[in-house]
Amino acid sequence: MIKFRLGVADLAATSFAYSPLQETVLSLRMWTGHAWRFPALRETFAVLRPAFERLDHVLLTSLVARRRYWVPDFLTPRPRTSAPDIREEFAELRTTDPAVVRTGLEQTFLPLREPVPARLTDAWDDPARLLADLADALEEYWASCLQPTWWPRARAVLEADIGHRARILTEGGANALFTGISARLTWAEDMLTIERSGP
């Protein structure tokens, strides 16, 4: 169980956004044995598999923890606008402080008692190069697999969802907004509680 106490200032700062970069990184879960969790996407990603396997898929799939499908936080920064341009997101990713790369990778895997994959630890001595390689691989994955056919549909769904959430907030307030996102969320006495899902 995870609890967050949200005050008035927190609620005032609540906004709705989507991030093509986040969607790119999180979609790597589809290639690491977690596709069963996302049945609506399985057919689409099956079609994309030949293109994905022509990429550096070993590097890409090494970014996803096997037990809880975590990914490094530095690859999924909070979007600066409600609908950022992925070219700007990739440019910002490339400016990430290399010093956070190793720490970010360790925080993704070690709490789950998983070793950091060798494909990543092999580059410990040059985190700036590793960061550049990750950005290159993600950008190629985006351009080859996601942008042409998957992203237009995904973006339409995300934009519709933002409109839906905004309407719920307007009509029902924060309680209706948070409890309507997931059955695992509850909101009471300024406390947002998230029940953990299974492994």
Side-chain angles (χ1 to χ4, degrees):
M1 180 184 298
I2 304 172
K3 292 179 177 286
F4 297 96
R5 184 171 298 281
L6 302 180
V8 173
D10 299 308
L11 292 176
T14 299
S15 62
F16 302 94
Y18 63 80
S19 163
L21 176 59
Q22 285 192 16
E23 296 297 329
T24 298
V25 174
L26 296 177
S27 76
L28 296 174
R29 296 168 173 174
M30 294 297 295
W31 310 111
T32 57
H34 299 293
W36 64 273
R37 297 177 181 271
F38 313 101
L41 296 177
R42 284 202 297 257
E43 183 176 342
T44 297
F45 277 76
V47 173
L48 297 175
R49 180 169 291 279
F52 180 71
E53 291 182 345
R54 288 193 291 270
L55 305 175
D56 190 349
H57 57 88
V58 175
L59 177 61
L60 289 166
T61 56
S62 71
L63 294 169
V64 183
R66 295 306 188 258
R67 287 191 58 206
R68 286 190 176 271
Y69 52 94
W70 291 356
V71 295
D73 285 344
F74 68 85
L75 296 176
T76 56
R78 180 178 178 176
R80 294 183 180 275
T81 66
S82 62
D85 185 313
I86 195 167
R87 293 169 297 184
E88 296 176 359
E89 290 193 296
F90 277 126
E92 183 175 352
L93 174 62
R94 292 177 185 279
T95 67
T96 301
D97 182 354
V100 310
V101 172
R102 177 169 180 168
T103 301
L105 292 170
E106 289 177 336
Q107 290 174 342
T108 301
F109 294 95
L110 300 187
L112 300 175
R113 298 182 180 177
E114 293 184 27
V116 179
R119 185 62 192 278
L120 301 173
T121 59
D122 287 347
W124 269 173
D125 292 340
D126 191 352
R129 179 70 262 170
L130 176 56
L131 176 64
D133 288 345
L134 293 175
D136 288 345
L138 287 167
E139 195 159 2
E140 187 176 10
Y141 171 50
W142 161 263
S144 300
C145 295
L146 303 183
Q147 183 183 24
T149 57
W150 176 79
W151 177 243
R153 297 195 299 271
R155 179 176 57 197
V157 171
L158 291 165
E159 289 175 345
D161 189 63
I162 287 177
H164 173 67
R165 302 296 171 194
R167 186 166 57 254
I168 289 176
L169 179 61
T170 300
E171 296 175 354
N175 182 58
L177 172 66
F178 291 126
T179 58
I181 291 175
S182 169
R184 297 191 295 117
L185 288 180
T186 56
W187 166 257
E189 298 180 355
D190 298 334
M191 188 70 71
L192 181 66
T193 302
I194 306 172
E195 296 288 344
R196 286 187 178 273
S197 59

